Amino acid sequence: QVQLVESGGGLVQAGGSLRLSCAASGRSFSSYVMGWFRQAPGKEREFVTNIVWYGSSTFYADSVKGRFTISRDNAKSTVYLQMNSLKPEDTAVYYCAAGLSRGWRSSSYYVQPDDYVYWGQGTQVTVSS
């Protein structure tokens, strides 16, 4: 059993930055692919980015590429999402998720919510225009 707790959300102006953190409790954190999803009211949960367990493969949705950066610190059992140049359309609840690794698949393999088995409670990010 893995528990994930997100933090770092808040209200920012367009063009601003936020860093989200996801702290994991449990075992074998380093063996999971870690992802970030977001969900706005009335919309489906949307893939944002992920990083594989060894940390050398990342993948980003086109909507955030070049603005967001995912990283992980296995020693601290924590994954981060650095969000720069925020836009109003980035407003959503952001969820951290952990998925079971499948061999040496690249991060682009894990883009569906069903690829992940553990989820955090979410943290609200609101970007004002």
Side-chain angles (χ1 to χ4, degrees):
Q1 190 77 25
V2 175
Q3 292 183 318
L4 306 173
V5 180
E6 302 99 332
S7 62
L11 174 65
V12 298
Q13 294 182 330
S17 298
L18 283 174
R19 189 182 76 158
L20 306 183
S21 298
C22 174
S25 62
R27 61 179 181 176
S28 302
F29 171 81
S30 62
S31 68
Y32 292 96
V33 55
M34 301 299 299
W36 288 95
F37 289 75
R38 65 187 183 186
Q39 188 167 23
K43 299 181 64 177
E44 295 182 346
R45 190 161 297 189
E46 174 190 23
F47 170 80
V48 177
T49 182
N50 63 19
I51 184 168
V52 298
W53 68 270
Y54 51 89
S56 61
S57 179
T58 59
F59 187 68
Y60 296 89
D62 288 340
S63 59
V64 306
K65 192 174 300 181
R67 299 187 297 120
F68 291 11
T69 303
I70 188 172
S71 62
R72 66 189 296 164
D73 187 337
N74 290 337
K76 296 182 178 180
S77 298
T78 302
V79 63
Y80 304 95
L81 181 64
Q82 179 66 47
M83 305 185 294
N84 298 325
S85 302
L86 284 163
K87 305 175 181 179
E89 51 262 44
D90 295 318
T91 296
V93 176
Y94 283 71
Y95 296 92
C96 175
L100 299 176
S101 296
R102 295 288 181 264
W104 291 89
R105 302 278 191 175
S106 65
S107 58
S108 61
Y109 182 82
Y110 309 94
V111 297
Q112 300 297 325
D114 287 348
D115 295 324
Y116 299 82
V117 295
Y118 300 110
W119 294 83
Q121 84 289 346
T123 185
Q124 178 70 46
V125 172
T126 302
V127 184
S128 62
S129 61

